[in-house]
Amino acid sequence: MRRSLSGPSGYASGTTFVFDEIRTRFVHPQDKSFIVYFEWLAPPGLHTISAVWKPPEGQSSMPPEIKVDLASGLLSAYWTFTIQPDDASGVWTLETQVDGAPGGTHSFELFVPATPKTETLPPRRPTTDELYRTAQSSLATVSSLNAATGERIDSSLGFIYAQDQVATAFQSIDGATAISVRFADGSEVR
C-alpha cells in the first residue's frame, strides 16, 4: 500500500483522487457521507480489490468487489460511506484486500449524536359527556305513526349515517304505515 486518505468530498483526476479537504473525523448530520481513497504499487494486469467496513462493534458490511485492468504501476480505488442516523459512534476501519491479500486499512472516527427520544403519552380518553356532545348532532328520534291520526305509536333512537339516510332498529318501524324523524336541531320530517 502506498497511501490511504479520507475526506468529505473530492473528485477523480486521471488515476488519482483529489480531496477538497482531508480529515479522519466525520460528524453527522453535518457530514452526510465521506470518501476513503487507497493507492497501491502493483504490476500491470487484472487486479481484484475488495473492502470491508468495520464499525466499533457489531457486524461489518462489504461493498462489491472492484476489478481493475492496470496499465501502469499505480493501482487506486475509493469508496463512499453514507452516514446513517443509527450508525455507531466511534473508530471505524475500512480493511482492503488486493488479489486476496491484505491491502491495508484506514481508520476514521464517526460521531453520530443520539437521537433524543420523545415520550409519547397515550391519547386521553374522552369523557362520556364529550362523547355524547360529539355524537349528539348525528342522533335522531324515529317514530312510527298512526297513519289516520298522525299520533306517535312507538319511538326509538336512530343515527344519521349518510346524506338523507337514517338508521334505526327494524322493530321500531316494522308494520308502520307512516314514520317521523326528529333531528337534534328540532327539525322533523314525516
Side-chain angles (χ1 to χ4, degrees):
M1 182 176 88
R2 186 169 172 238
R3 68 180 179 153
S4 68
L5 303 167
S6 58
S9 61
Y11 57 93
S13 175
T15 60
T16 185
F17 193 88
V18 179
F19 283 96
D20 298 323
E21 173 187 2
I22 296 173
R23 58 185 160 105
T24 57
R25 185 169 197 273
F26 304 96
V27 178
H28 187 267
Q30 295 88 335
D31 295 309
K32 304 280 188 226
S33 65
F34 60 91
I35 299 162
V36 178
Y37 172 79
F38 279 84
E39 282 182 357
W40 302 271
L41 295 176
L46 185 62
H47 296 280
T48 302
I49 306 167
S50 61
V52 176
W53 297 104
K54 293 197 168 187
E57 53 188 58
Q59 294 189 345
S60 55
S61 64
M62 187 173 5
E65 288 185 341
I66 302 169
K67 297 211 183 276
V68 178
D69 193 1
L70 187 62
S72 67
L74 185 62
L75 179 64
S76 63
Y78 65 90
W79 291 266
T80 301
F81 185 95
T82 302
I83 304 170
Q84 301 299 321
D86 59 347
D87 282 338
S89 292
V91 177
W92 287 59
T93 302
L94 179 62
E95 289 184 2
T96 62
Q97 287 191 345
V98 178
D99 300 327
T105 62
H106 183 86
S107 295
F108 54 91
E109 183 183 1
L110 185 59
F111 179 72
V112 181
T115 306
K117 294 187 178 182
T118 56
E119 186 178 327
T120 57
L121 299 174
R124 183 182 70 81
R125 289 184 174 212
T127 66
T128 306
D129 286 343
E130 290 169 333
L131 287 172
Y132 179 75
R133 278 193 299 276
T134 301
Q136 186 176 11
S137 63
S138 298
L139 299 177
T141 302
V142 179
S143 302
S144 55
L145 305 175
N146 179 321
T149 64
E151 294 178 21
R152 295 188 198 296
I153 300 170
D154 191 17
S155 292
S156 64
L157 186 62
F159 64 93
I160 303 165
Y161 70 91
Q163 179 77 29
D164 298 327
Q165 296 181 2
V166 175
T168 190
F170 180 70
Q171 64 264 23
S172 302
I173 57 172
D174 186 26
T177 54
I179 63 168
S180 116
V181 179
R182 181 178 296 270
F183 299 97
D185 65 0
S187 61
E188 184 174 358
V189 175
R190 290 186 177 235

